């Protein structure tokens, strides 16, 4: 009994909703499509529709596909032309889905009133009463094959060179190497001008410059220990160095490995 | 500000990548086996001579097509579980397969070539009795469906009903058979038991003629009558020991003609109900006039109805003969007879049906498996050879639901263990070490016997290792030269050994008890089967047939001793319990070889209420199993003196719980020193309001690595890790959508204290839940919004730990803080399980079985009640994902990609030797085995690791240093010269 009561409530509510919806859209079709397929045996109805996978012959996919209504409560199978009928469904509101391991289909919510009037709408689990009409009998068009697989990260020279980090490293290097050749450094005026511009670029003398860092890194511990480092500099150095190291090691493909490693440990916590 | 955001973005994108299969990994470490269940109907495609298709309809409501050459599944249609999907009959005509489904609910026609539906017709209500094809002038155009009170005729082309007729006196007459012999009439046979037989003839154009024949001896047409020859009804009566013939089509009032079996020199075995077997090769023609009469469990006679329609001639006597069948190809019909040869094999022979002469060179040997069932049914695929002689292949169905396809002279083409379609429980057991591995292990176990022998032993074991390594290298080299594909590793029990990372294990699977009614011995066999399957290849290594297992039995598989205790063999115990009486029995076996153990299990005369595996081990390293009977007495297995002594010492700290879901009662007990018990607590959930659906503790082999979570402000939130915590799920008895609810109670199993209760209003089951670490995740149906929802409960002690060294249920004054969050899940689910790894360092994922057959690996991170609605600096530090009401389902997260597992019933997870890797087995109709890496493979090099790149970079750097060193030297020299 309660089913009927609830259903009529639902129907009233849906109709109300629909009237609201219709106020905004023009009335080109009737509010509720009647299927006209009320069956003789009791209050059981059938859900009809058709599933299409564009560009694929039906025989290549229908044998592994089926239509499920509200999980596995009612099951239908696809005909050789892609159409389907799910028989013996009592009135109610159901999520109808075509399940195929190869192709993806959008689920549709089908509402059947106690009188057998049908309508289809988009599934919206958050706003459950929202009505966005879909055609009935259902027209389910596959949006393509499922993507089950990730693409392997492949390693190519172009990827490596086009990496912004690498570009940022290579371009200054080129400038460092090429500029002295282009500009005559022996000219005292030019040298003075360059020193001035360098000072402007590097207002904080406390920070180490890139070239110093590079030499330090490559020359190893021997040279760094021999080099005298001011107390004030040393305090700022380690942090900067770490960040630089990070920058340096983060280019190319290494960054992903580095981060993945780091985060796999983060996950564990 | 920007750094954490970018970090978050990077992290998130990586995270999304974290669980997925790469395309080249397909089939590398995963496999799937597809099953269909017990065969009810089997037909070979007779449409064309060269076709090798086999169609099966099974008790699992499945219609499937196989390639009969290989046994591979071509396609399969899985219908609804339960009586609404049962297949009543399957008949084949040409390319169409006709099926009546759901006790006469639907009539379906399938295109067997494409595997799609031709049409589906809804039948009128009424229970299904019989169906047959109806042909006019050699073409089959209709199908007749007989119901309890009506008969209907449908067109084969579109399923439309031609006519339907109500059967007269259907409340007294039991209509049981329908027959058509290619004429314009359809005959319906009904019987009033022990009174008379009613024959109704319907002409295709809707006329009806009723005939009634006295037959006081007849009780059932279905079981004792067949139609043979030109429409002659042949019945057998065990009481008078006679055969009766009756021409159905006779115009005038017909009479049964009695032929005494004695007159044919035939004798029925004592207490045996004789059975008739006939054959109608083509629906447009009448059946053949030869038929089999079974007189005893292994006694068959081939008889022939003479042309006069009254007399019978005995063609050949088959004794002993287990099974008989007819097969037709072209115009020839042959009789197939299976006779026992010796203990381990049966012979199958062909006989000409019209003469009873044995056809030469037609013997096929069927190997009998002593660990399996007896042959149960024969399905024969006969075909004509080029020289017009009959050749055949035969499909043998055995009582254990296995199908074996054999061809001459006895080559087993394929075997399908269909019992595996119904796995109830399983365990994974480590494989034993090899001899060399065991020897190496033994070196450390033994006591030292001097310095010099120790050194010698060490050296010798190193030599053994070196030898093994060289042999391995040689094998690699040898196999690399062979073309790919020829390399085939045969897996046998003898060669099984543990691999480096313990990734290969033995899967022990228990199948549901099956029932098989045997015509031969008038017995109902009830059995269950144990299978040992290699987890790497999926091959069945052993099987064990357990007899006399009640159909409603419940099983519990317990690993008492693992393989770690060499030389003691591993030991598994299967607890089989009758659900109604509670009486239980134990089957103790070695899980690696499947052999029954010589250890005698204890006799259990009383119903068993609870079983628990204690961490206590006896002197043979077997864990102790405690069984509690209905008088609350405890039986220990093994129960040696040593064990009993240990139990007495530990008794005060052994607690267990009992559930009485019918009384809504949950009670806790403690063991006393004399192995009796005392009740210490009791929780009653009134059964008028709610009923207990499930109770679940934590898995005993679960490890939790980190005690707490580091929060954004560097403080630690400690987890509430109570090993005795039970999650009790209840459902309301009121099913009204407004008043229904689902309750979750967290109860301490030792003290009975209710730690937390959560009630989800307007919700109903089925509830699926996982209880692990400090959280419970459960899924239910929201009746108001008509959607599935996930809810997570997480328990924390707070920022301080009460007693960090040991957890005691008796000494925890503070209740934990409970956090809860709920999410929408856009699909129903069938089962749920959490991943499990060796040390619990790896993050957890939930494995969710969906009705589509996919298994979704859902990161636990998405089910974290601390997911913030507003993103803050702290939450970003903690890598909490902002709250979103709807949970995503990504196809990339499907661990079984397109290898769907139909009707997933359970997911089993087991840790491997690698911390990053969790072994997963999903079972249901199919079995799927794979590995998952919830935090990616952080402890081994990935399989796409680029050795070439790394080595080339290394070499390049090496040469660059060499060159630059040389250049620097030259430069220095030049400078020195300057």
């Amino acid at each position: 009994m309660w089913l009927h009561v609830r259903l009529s409530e639902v129907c009233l509510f849906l109709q109300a909703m629909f009237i609201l919806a219709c106020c905004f859209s023009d009335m080109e079709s009737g509010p509720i499509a009647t299927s006209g397929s009320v069956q003789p045996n009791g209050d059981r109805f059938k859900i009809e529709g058709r599933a299409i996978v564009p560009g694929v012959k039906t025989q290549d996919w229908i044998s592994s596909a089926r239509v499920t209504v509200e999980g596995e409560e009612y099951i239908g199978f696809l005909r050789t032309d892609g159409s389907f009928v799910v028989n013996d469904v009592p009135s109610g509101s159901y999520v109808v889905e075509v399940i195929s391991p190869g192709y993806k289909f959008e689920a549709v919510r089908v509402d059947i009133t106690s009188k057998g009037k049908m309508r289809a709408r988009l599934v919206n689990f958050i706003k459950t009463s929202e009505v966005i009409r879909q055609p009935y009998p259902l027209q389910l068009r596959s949006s393509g094959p499922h993507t089950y697989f990730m693409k392997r990260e492949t390693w190519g020279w172009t990827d490596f060179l086009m990496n912004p980090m690498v570009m940022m490293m290579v371009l200054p290097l080129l400038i460092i190497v090429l500029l002295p050749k282009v500009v005559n450094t022996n000219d005292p005026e030019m040298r003075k001008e360059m020193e001035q511009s360098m000072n402007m670029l590097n207002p904080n003398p406390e920070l180490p410059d890139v070239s110093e860092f590079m030499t330090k890194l490559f020359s190893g511990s021997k040279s760094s220990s021999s080099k005298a480092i001011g107390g004030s500099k040393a305090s700022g150095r380690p942090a900067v160095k770490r960040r630089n190291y990070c920058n340096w090691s983060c280019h190319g493909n290494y960054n992903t490995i580095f981060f993945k490693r780091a985060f796999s440990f983060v996950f564990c916590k | 500000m920007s750094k954490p955001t970018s970090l978050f973005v990077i992290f998130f994108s990586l995270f999304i990548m974290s669980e997925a299969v790469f395309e080249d990994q397909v089939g590398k470490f995963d496999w799937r086996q597809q099953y269909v269940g017990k065969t009810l109907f089997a037909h070979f495609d007779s449409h064309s001579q060269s076709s090798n298709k086999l169609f099966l309809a099974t008790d699992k409501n499945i219609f499937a097509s196989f390639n009969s050459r290989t046994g591979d599944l071509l396609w399969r249609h899985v219908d609804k579980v339960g009586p609404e999907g049962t297949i009543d009959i399957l008949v084949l005509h040409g390319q169409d397969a006709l099926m009546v489904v759901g006790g006469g609910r639907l009539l379906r026609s399938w295109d067997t070539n494409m595997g799609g539906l031709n049409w589906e017709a809804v039948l009128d209500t009424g229970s299904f009795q019989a169906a047959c094809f109806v042909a006019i002038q050699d073409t089959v155009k209709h199908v007749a469906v007989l119901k309890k009170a009506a008969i209907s005729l449908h067109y084969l082309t579109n399923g439309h009903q031609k006519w339907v007729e109500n059967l007269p006196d259907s409340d007294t007459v039991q209509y049981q058979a329908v027959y058509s012999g290619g004429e314009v009439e359809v005959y319906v046979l009904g019987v009033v038991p022990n009174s008379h037989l009613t024959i109704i003839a319907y002409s295709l154009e809707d006329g009806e003629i009723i005939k009634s024949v006295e037959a006081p001896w007849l009780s059932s047409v279905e079981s004792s009558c067949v139609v043979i020859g030109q429409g002659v009804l042949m019945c057998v009566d065990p009481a008078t020991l006679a055969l009766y013939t009756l021409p159905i089509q006779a115009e005038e009032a017909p009479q049964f003609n009695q032929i005494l079996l004695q007159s044919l020199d035939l004798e029925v075995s004592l207490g045996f109900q004789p059975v008739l077997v006939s054959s109608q090769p083509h629906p447009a023609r009448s059946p053949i006039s030869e038929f089999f009469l079974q007189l005893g469990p292994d006694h068959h006679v081939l008889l022939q109805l003479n042309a006069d329609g009254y007399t019978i001639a005995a063609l050949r006597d088959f004794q002993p003969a287990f099974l008989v069948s007819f097969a037709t190809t072209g115009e020839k019909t042959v009789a197939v007879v299976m006779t026992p040869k010796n203990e381990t094999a049966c012979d199958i022979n062909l006989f000409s049906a019209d003469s009873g002469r044995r056809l030469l060179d037609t013997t096929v040997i069927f190997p009998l498996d002593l660990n399996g069932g007896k042959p149960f049914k024969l399905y024969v695929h006969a075909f004509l050879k080029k020289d017009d002689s009959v050749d055949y292949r035969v499909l043998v169905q055995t009582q254990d639901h296995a199908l074996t396809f054999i061809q001459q002279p006895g080559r087993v083409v394929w075997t399908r263990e269909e019992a595996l379609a119904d796995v109830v429980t399983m365990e994974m057991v480590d494989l034993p070490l090899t001899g060399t591995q065991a020897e190496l292990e033994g070196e450390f176990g033994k006591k030292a016997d001097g310095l010099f022998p120790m050194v010698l032993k060490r050296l010798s074991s190193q030599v053994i290792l070196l030898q093994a390594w060289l042999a391995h290298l040689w094998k690699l080299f040898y196999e690399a030269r062979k073309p790919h594909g020829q390399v085939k590793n045969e897996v046998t029990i003898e060669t099984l050994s543990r691999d480096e990372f313990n990734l290969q294990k033995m899967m022990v699977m228990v199948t549901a008890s099956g029932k098989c009614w045997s015509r031969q011995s008038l017995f109902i066999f009830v059995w269950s089967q144990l299978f040992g399957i290699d987890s790497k290849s999926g091959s069945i290594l052993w099987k064990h047939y357990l007899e006399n297992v009640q159909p409603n039995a419940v099983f519990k598989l317990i690993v008492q001793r693992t393989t770690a205790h060499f030389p003691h063999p591993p030991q598994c115990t299967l607890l089989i319990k009758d659900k109604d009486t509670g009486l239980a029995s134990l089957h103790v076996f070695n899980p690696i070889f499947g052999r029954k153990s010589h250890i005698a299990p204890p006799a259990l005369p009383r119903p068993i209420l609870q079983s628990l595996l204690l961490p206590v081990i006896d002197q043979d390293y077997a864990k102790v199993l405690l069984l509690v009977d209905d008088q609350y007495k405890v039986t220990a297995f093994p129960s040696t003196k040593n064990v009993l002594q240990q139990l007495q010492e530990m008794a005060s700290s052994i607690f267990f719980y009992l559930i009485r879901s019918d009384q809504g009662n949950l009670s806790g007990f403690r063991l006393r020193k004399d192995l009796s018990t005392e009740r210490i607590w009791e929780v009653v959930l009134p059964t008028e309001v709610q009923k207990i659906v499930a109770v679940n503790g934590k898995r005993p082999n679960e490890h939790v690595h980190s005690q707490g979570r580091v929060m954004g402000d560097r403080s630690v939130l400690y987890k509430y890790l109570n090993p005795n915590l039970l999650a009790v799920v209840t459902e309301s008895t009121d099913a009204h959508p407004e008043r229904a609810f689902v309750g979750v109670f967290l109860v301490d199993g030792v003290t009975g204290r209710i730690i937390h209760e959560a009630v989800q209003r307007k919700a109903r089951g089925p509830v699926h839940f996982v209880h692990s670490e400090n959280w419970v995740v459960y899924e239910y149906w929201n009746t108001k919004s008509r959607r599935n929802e996930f809810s997570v409960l997480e328990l924390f002690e707070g920022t301080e730990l009460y007693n960090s060294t040991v957890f005691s249920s008796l000494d925890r004054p503070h209740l934990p803080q409970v956090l809860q969050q709920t999410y929408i899940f856009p699909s129903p689910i069938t089962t749920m399980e959490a991943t499990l790894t060796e040390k619990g360092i790896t993050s957890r994922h939930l494995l969710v079985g969906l009705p589509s057959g996919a298994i979704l690996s859902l990161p636990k991170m998405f089910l974290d009640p601390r997911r913030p609605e507003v993103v803050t600096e702290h939450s970003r530090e903690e890598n909490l994902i902002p709250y979103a009401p709807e949970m995503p389902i990504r196809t990339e997260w499907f661990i079984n990609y397109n290898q769907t597992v139909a009707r997933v019933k359970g997911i089993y997870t087991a840790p491997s030797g690698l911390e990053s890797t969790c072994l997963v087995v999903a079972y249901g109709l199919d079995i799927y085995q794979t590995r998952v890496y919830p935090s990616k493979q952080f402890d081994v090099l990935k399989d796409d690791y680029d050795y070439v790149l790394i080595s080339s970079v290394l070499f390049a750097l090496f040469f660059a240093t060499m060159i630059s060193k040389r250049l620097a030297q030259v430069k220095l020299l030049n400078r020195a010269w300057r």
Side-chain angles (χ1 to χ4, degrees), chain B residues 39-143:
Chain B
T39 305
L40 298 179
F41 306 97
H43 291 282
F44 287 95
D45 189 6
S46 52
H47 182 58
S48 69
Q49 196 62 241
S50 59
S51 167
N52 45 15
K53 280 184 193 154
L54 166 68
F55 303 105
L56 296 182
T58 70
D59 68 335
K60 298 251 171 246
N61 307 349
I62 290 163
F63 176 46
S65 168
F66 290 88
N67 181 339
S68 65
R69 295 267 156 84
T70 59
D72 294 337
L73 192 71
L74 296 173
W75 46 258
R76 175 178 73 174
H77 289 290
V78 183
D79 205 346
K80 224 176 137 174
V81 194
E84 280 188 63
T86 48
I87 297 166
D88 299 317
I89 197 166
L90 171 72
V91 279
L92 226 64
H93 178 256
Q95 270 203 11
D96 298 343
L98 251 87
M99 214 159 85
V100 179
V101 180
R105 196 169 63 93
L106 297 169
L107 181 68
R108 282 194 185 129
S109 166
W110 296 94
D111 184 319
T112 56
N113 222 7
M114 269 164 83
L117 203 62
N118 283 328
W119 47 262
E120 182 178 278
V122 182
L123 298 175
D124 294 345
T125 48
S127 68
F128 172 79
Q129 294 294 337
C132 82
F133 284 117
V134 180
I136 326 168
Q137 289 138 16
D138 268 16
T139 50
V140 181
K141 279 189 179 156
H142 304 100
V143 59

Side-chain angles (χ1 to χ4, degrees), chain A residues 26-256:
Chain A
D26 51 344
M27 293 276 286
E28 52 188 355
S29 61
I32 288 167
T34 51
S35 70
S37 57
V38 184
Q39 285 166 20
N41 47 347
D43 287 355
R44 295 281 177 137
F45 310 100
K46 61 183 180 187
I47 299 173
E48 288 174 290
R50 191 183 163 91
I52 306 151
V53 182
V56 181
K57 281 186 210 147
T58 48
Q59 65 213 49
D60 295 339
W61 66 277
I62 51 160
S63 64
S64 58
R66 58 180 184 159
V67 185
T68 59
V69 177
E70 208 63 53
E72 280 183 303
E73 247 172 82
Y74 306 96
I75 290 173
F77 297 101
L78 289 145
R79 286 205 202 108
T80 45
D81 60 348
S83 62
F84 62 86
V85 176
V86 185
N87 283 304
D88 271 0
V89 183
S91 54
S93 173
Y94 306 96
V95 175
V96 180
E97 232 174 323
V98 174
I99 291 177
S100 158
Y103 301 94
K104 54 174 177 243
F105 290 90
E106 285 290 314
V108 177
R109 188 177 278 284
V110 173
D111 302 317
I112 311 173
T113 65
S114 54
K115 284 191 185 117
K117 291 186 174 178
M118 321 276 278
R119 79 162 170 199
R121 56 186 170 115
L122 278 186
V123 177
N124 189 338
F125 285 114
I126 298 173
K127 286 187 218 157
T128 46
S129 50
E130 190 188 48
V131 177
I132 298 170
R133 289 292 297 269
Q134 294 289 102
Y136 186 89
L138 302 171
Q139 290 289 328
L140 302 169
R141 183 176 276 269
S142 167
S143 51
H146 284 298
T147 48
Y148 291 117
F149 303 111
M150 295 302 304
K151 257 196 141 169
R152 280 268 188 218
E153 298 159 31
T154 48
W155 201 89
W157 285 103
T158 46
D159 297 349
F160 178 74
L161 289 177
M162 285 307 168
N163 190 317
M165 288 288 195
V166 177
M167 299 278 265
M168 272 163 68
M169 288 292 293
V170 169
L171 282 177
L173 264 176
L174 279 178
I175 292 165
I176 289 165
V177 174
L178 290 180
L179 260 184
K181 305 236 163 149
V182 178
V183 187
N184 187 3
T185 44
N186 286 338
D187 186 13
E189 271 182 37
M190 184 65 86
R191 183 171 283 188
K192 210 173 181 182
E193 208 173 285
M194 267 178 68
E195 263 171 20
Q196 272 178 356
S197 60
M198 285 295 271
N199 281 344
M200 270 170 67
L201 271 172
N202 196 2
N204 187 2
E206 294 282 291
L207 278 175
D209 56 340
V210 180
S211 56
E212 195 190 332
F213 166 70
M214 292 294 273
T215 47
K216 224 172 100 23
L217 196 78
F218 283 117
S219 55
S221 59
K222 201 171 69 186
S223 59
S224 72
S225 65
S226 66
K227 215 176 241 176
I229 299 160
S232 60
K233 265 191 177 178
S235 64
R237 182 73 47 98
V240 177
K241 187 183 166 187
R242 208 185 308 136
R243 192 196 296 162
N244 271 331
Y245 173 74
C246 182
N247 266 343
W248 183 77
S249 71
C250 283
H251 64 71
N253 225 26
Y254 298 99
N255 65 338
T256 46

Side-chain angles (χ1 to χ4, degrees), chain B residues 349-402:
Chain B
N349 279 300
L350 283 195
F351 295 86
S352 154
D354 40 5
S355 64
R357 205 162 31 80
R358 194 170 89 88
L359 301 177
L360 291 176
D361 297 331
T362 55
T363 310
V364 167
I365 298 156
F366 172 69
L368 271 180
D369 188 355
L370 295 175
N371 279 329
K374 290 199 180 81
F376 173 67
K377 209 163 179 185
L378 292 178
Y379 303 97
V380 183
H381 182 211
F383 50 90
L384 288 175
K385 280 197 286 201
K386 280 190 186 119
D387 59 350
D388 221 31
S389 62
V390 180
D391 198 0
Y392 70 116
R393 298 194 187 93
V394 61
L395 182 71
V396 184
Q397 184 184 6
T398 43
Q399 276 161 359
D400 56 351
H401 300 179

Side-chain angles (χ1 to χ4, degrees), chain B residues 33 45 112-113 128 223 343 372 388 436 451 523 539 640 708 729 776:
Chain B
Q33 286 170 357
D45 189 6
T112 56
N113 222 7
F128 172 79
S223 62
E343 288 271 294
D388 221 31
T436 41
L451 189 68
F523 250 122
S539 51
T640 55
V729 175
V776 180

